[in-house]
Amino acid sequence: MDFKTAIEHYQNGTATEEERLWVEEELDKFLLLEALVREDAPAGMPPEQEESADFQSIRRRLRKRSVLQIVTSVLLTLALLLGILRLGIPAAESLYWGPEDSSFGTEVSDLTILVDTYANLFCPDMAITSVSGTRTGFASYSLELEYIPAREYPDPAYGQGTLEKGRLSIPENFWPTVPKNRIHSYPLDKYNWAHTVDRLTQFPEYIRVGAFVSFAEDISMHALLTFREELTKDNGDKLLAQTAYYWTAIRCYEDTEENYHLPHCGLGTGGYVYAKEMNLSYPNFDGSRYPEDDYGYSVGSTTYTKQLETQFHSQLTFMRDMCRNGQGIGELEFYENALDYIDENGIQAYGCFIVCSPQSLLEIMEMENISGVFIEDFWLGI
């Protein structure tokens, strides 16, 4: 095969792949040499001869091929960049904990369950309703935390937080945790007791009072259920029927000066976050999803007593596990020590948080084993 024949085949479109590559390679060399000659041509050199029609046709085809190659390269580069943006970034972000991640097969996210559980353990006056995230950058989110405080029911309130590359940050002042002096394991002095009674006596009936109640001695979950039933049962005109029970303070460490800095920890009555699938990993974790025949409890129900104990243990265990994964709220050491303490000493209550009328609180103060009452807040009733 000679070059002239190959050129003819190239012009009439019958060239083989080998011929086409040979012709284009030689023409590329020619064009390069031509350009070099033009650059080095001396002044006054006679004008070039006019190119033949055939050669002009070949030149146009080569230019068209060059443009096509450039466009194809640009498109491939853009497609690669788009693929990185659409697949690469989400894949990289998936390496970090996100606000929609769900590891337990629940309808709500792990983050929502975490925030709700922390509030249930440490914040009597807070019922979490939802946690949502808005993406602000790579693996970065601003968080909105919706909750309902006891005094604002049913109107929600809001807090803010961030989730940066799997690291959760929520301001400390968002959490209405229990100040140390709200619950006492010793009797209040006569002056404070009389002062509290005097305040309650002056409140009108339409006032609602949020109060921490202290027990003179720690009580079991079974005894606690008896106390709760006495507070909330409907027995005619008794004012105690107006009482709402929110939270139980549970002994998680020795009551010593050395442990004074540790927070009050306990068990709430549940909020608005339902995650019954959690019960498969942490028994009775979601206390609002007990089996139908066990949901209503009676004073003699050992089943419900055991459920409360298991629920508290499971929620502490969940918080410990999340801290071990680098996704928790609070201190890992606290949860580990609390679990060790209740495993050794059992689950005992030493106080509670309730919302009731002033008259109801006066009656509660007359109950056996009540050593103190701290009025946290009061507001107009509905």
Side-chain angles (χ1 to χ4, degrees):
M1 177 179 64
D2 58 53
F3 187 70
K4 181 178 180 181
T5 303
I7 283 282
E8 291 176 354
H9 291 172
Y10 187 84
Q11 287 180 289
N12 59 31
T14 61
T16 65
E17 182 65 15
E18 183 181 359
E19 290 174 330
R20 184 183 66 78
L21 292 174
W22 184 22
V23 170
E24 291 180 352
E25 182 181 355
E26 294 300 321
L27 289 173
D28 284 340
K29 294 178 183 178
F30 173 78
L31 292 175
L32 180 60
L33 290 171
E34 182 187 40
L36 290 173
V37 170
R38 286 179 178 176
E39 290 177 1
D40 297 335
M45 185 176 180
E48 299 178 354
Q49 295 181 353
E50 186 177 345
E51 296 175 340
S52 67
D54 289 341
F55 193 82
Q56 289 179 355
S57 174
I58 292 174
R59 184 188 292 276
R60 285 195 297 270
R61 292 178 63 180
L62 286 174
R63 287 174 178 170
K64 181 178 180 182
R65 179 171 64 88
S66 298
V67 171
L68 181 61
Q69 289 175 338
I70 293 172
V71 171
T72 302
S73 298
V74 171
L75 291 176
L76 287 174
T77 302
L78 291 175
L80 180 61
L81 291 174
L82 183 61
I84 292 174
L85 291 174
R86 297 188 62 181
L87 300 177
I89 291 179
E93 283 188 321
S94 68
L95 300 175
Y96 298 98
W97 186 37
E100 301 300 326
D101 291 355
S102 177
S103 305
F104 303 94
T106 59
E107 294 182 1
V108 295
S109 67
D110 295 349
L111 179 59
T112 301
I113 296 171
L114 175 70
V115 173
D116 179 63
T117 304
Y118 187 83
N120 197 50
L121 292 173
F122 297 100
C123 307
D125 185 19
M126 173 180 278
I128 299 295
T129 54
S130 68
V131 178
S132 58
T134 301
R135 189 174 182 276
T136 57
F138 176 76
S140 299
Y141 305 87
S142 63
L143 303 177
E144 181 177 83
L145 302 90
E146 182 182 277
Y147 66 99
I148 297 179
R151 68 170 297 162
E152 301 294 338
Y153 179 84
D155 298 323
Y158 299 91
Q160 306 297 322
T162 60
L163 188 61
E164 299 281 347
K165 295 183 179 178
R167 187 174 297 277
L168 177 64
S169 176
I170 299 174
E172 285 292 329
N173 59 8
F174 169 75
W175 304 108
T177 53
V178 185
K180 291 299 293 187
N181 66 342
R182 298 304 192 260
I183 305 177
H184 304 268
S185 58
Y186 51 85
L188 294 175
D189 59 61
K190 292 182 179 180
Y191 171 78
N192 288 330
W193 186 276
H195 179 66
T196 301
V197 171
D198 184 58
R199 289 183 66 192
L200 291 172
T201 303
Q202 296 180 41
F203 285 154
E205 292 184 9
Y206 52 80
I207 291 294
R208 298 289 284 174
V209 179
F212 290 98
V213 177
S214 301
F215 303 147
E217 296 180 355
D218 293 357
I219 61 175
S220 67
M221 289 295 101
H222 183 76
L224 177 72
L225 289 178
T226 304
F227 174 72
R228 281 176 54 175
E229 185 175 78
E230 183 65 22
L231 292 187
T232 58
K233 69 182 180 180
D234 186 0
N235 54 358
D237 296 331
K238 192 171 182 180
L239 291 170
L240 288 177
Q242 304 172 17
T243 302
Y245 191 99
Y246 278 78
W247 181 81
T248 302
I250 297 178
R251 183 77 62 195
C252 295
Y253 48 83
E254 294 291 343
D255 186 18
T256 62
E257 290 187 8
E258 182 182 357
N259 292 332
Y260 187 79
H261 68 285
L262 297 177
H264 290 290
C265 180
L267 185 63
T269 53
Y272 300 87
V273 176
Y274 304 121
K276 63 180 180 180
E277 294 83 0
M278 291 290 294
N279 295 344
L280 299 175
S281 302
Y282 300 92
N284 291 327
F285 180 93
D286 186 349
S288 66
R289 289 293 186 258
Y290 294 134
E292 194 66 31
D293 57 341
D294 288 332
Y295 185 70
Y297 68 88
S298 62
V299 173
S301 172
T302 56
T303 300
Y304 192 74
T305 299
K306 186 64 176 177
Q307 286 173 336
L308 284 178
E309 292 174 346
T310 308
Q311 181 186 18
F312 181 66
H313 193 283
S314 288
Q315 292 194 2
L316 280 178
T317 303
F318 169 73
M319 296 301 291
R320 179 203 65 188
D321 293 347
M322 293 297 282
C323 281
R324 286 178 175 177
N325 293 335
Q327 301 169 340
I329 304 174
E331 298 295 330
L332 172 60
E333 183 180 10
F334 175 86
Y335 300 118
E336 291 178 334
N337 292 341
L339 286 166
D340 289 341
Y341 182 89
I342 63 176
D343 286 342
E344 181 178 350
N345 299 281
I347 296 180
Q348 302 282 317
Y350 62 93
C352 64
F353 179 74
I354 60 175
V355 174
C356 61
S357 68
Q359 292 76 15
S360 295
L361 192 54
L362 284 169
E363 291 192 29
I364 291 170
M365 292 175 67
E366 297 300 322
M367 287 183 171
E368 186 178 357
N369 199 38
I370 301 302
S371 65
V373 169
F374 191 100
I375 299 176
E376 179 69 12
D377 201 0
F378 57 90
W379 58 92
L380 292 176
I382 299 175

